[in-house]
């Protein structure tokens, strides 16, 4: 690079910025793009933070329910939650965003209620 910064590499901060930008965009398929960025981040040995998972879940929460596969969105959201819990931890933002995913992408009222109730209880247990 002509400015002398040829050794600059992405870090957790830059990945989080890009995932957040994708989450806030109107791009079709942004949930898959965000998940691929997370996968790439882990592939290059950059450890995701809680905010990283929150950004991916946010991309899921604000995906278009008319254009995205609802089941895939829900499954991916809970996968992200489990990964966060198993590594860096989940926080109130993580759980709140999961609740938004449930409210947007679970059509069946009884199932929506059960998922929301169980998620809320899990959040309470985690503190």
């Amino acid at each position: 690079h002509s400015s002398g910064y040829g050794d600059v590499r992405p870090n957790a901060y830059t990945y989080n910025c890009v995932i957040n930008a994708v989450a806030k965009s109107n791009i079709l398929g942004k949930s898959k793009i965000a998940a691929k960025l997370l996968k790439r981040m882990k592939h290059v040995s950059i450890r995701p933070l809680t905010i990283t998972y929150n950004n991916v879940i946010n991309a899921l929460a604000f995906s278009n329910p008319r254009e995205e596969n609802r089941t895939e969105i829900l499954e991916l959201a809970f996968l992200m939650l489990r990964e966060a819990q198993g590594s860096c931890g989940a926080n109130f933002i993580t759980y709140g965003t999961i609740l938004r995913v449930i409210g947007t992408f679970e059509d069946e009222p009884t199932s929506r209620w059960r998922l929301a109730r169980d998620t809320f209880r899990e959040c309470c247990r985690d503190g």
Side-chain angles (χ1 to χ4, degrees):
H1 193 276
S2 62
S3 66
Y5 298 111
D7 63 342
V8 175
R9 301 278 185 264
N11 58 22
Y13 180 79
T14 55
Y15 271 97
N16 285 323
C17 288
V18 173
I19 294 169
N20 188 39
V22 168
K24 291 179 178 180
S25 75
N26 291 325
I27 299 171
L28 181 61
K30 65 182 171 181
S31 59
K32 290 179 181 159
I33 295 168
K36 284 180 184 177
L37 286 165
L38 174 64
K39 184 177 180 179
R40 174 70 180 156
M41 182 179 183
K42 291 188 285 188
H43 178 75
V44 297
S45 301
I46 298 173
R47 190 173 64 102
L49 307 169
T50 301
I51 192 171
T52 311
Y53 289 102
N54 291 350
N55 285 332
V56 174
I57 296 167
N58 197 46
L60 298 166
F62 288 96
S63 292
N64 188 329
R66 291 179 303 278
E67 297 178 359
E68 301 281 350
N69 182 307
R70 292 172 175 269
T71 303
E72 284 180 13
I73 296 288
L74 283 163
E75 288 174 357
L76 187 53
F78 280 99
L79 175 65
M80 294 296 103
L81 175 60
R82 300 296 171 242
E83 283 187 20
Q85 290 169 326
S87 58
C88 51
N91 62 20
F92 69 97
I93 296 170
T94 315
Y95 287 103
T97 311
I98 287 288
L99 290 171
R100 180 179 286 277
V101 171
I102 294 166
T104 303
F105 290 93
E106 178 52 67
D107 285 332
E108 205 281 307
T110 303
S111 182
R112 183 173 48 242
W113 163 246
R114 285 185 181 136
L115 280 172
R117 180 197 62 203
D118 294 348
T119 301
F120 180 75
R121 287 178 179 167
E122 195 172 341
C123 177
C124 292
R125 279 192 304 273
D126 283 355

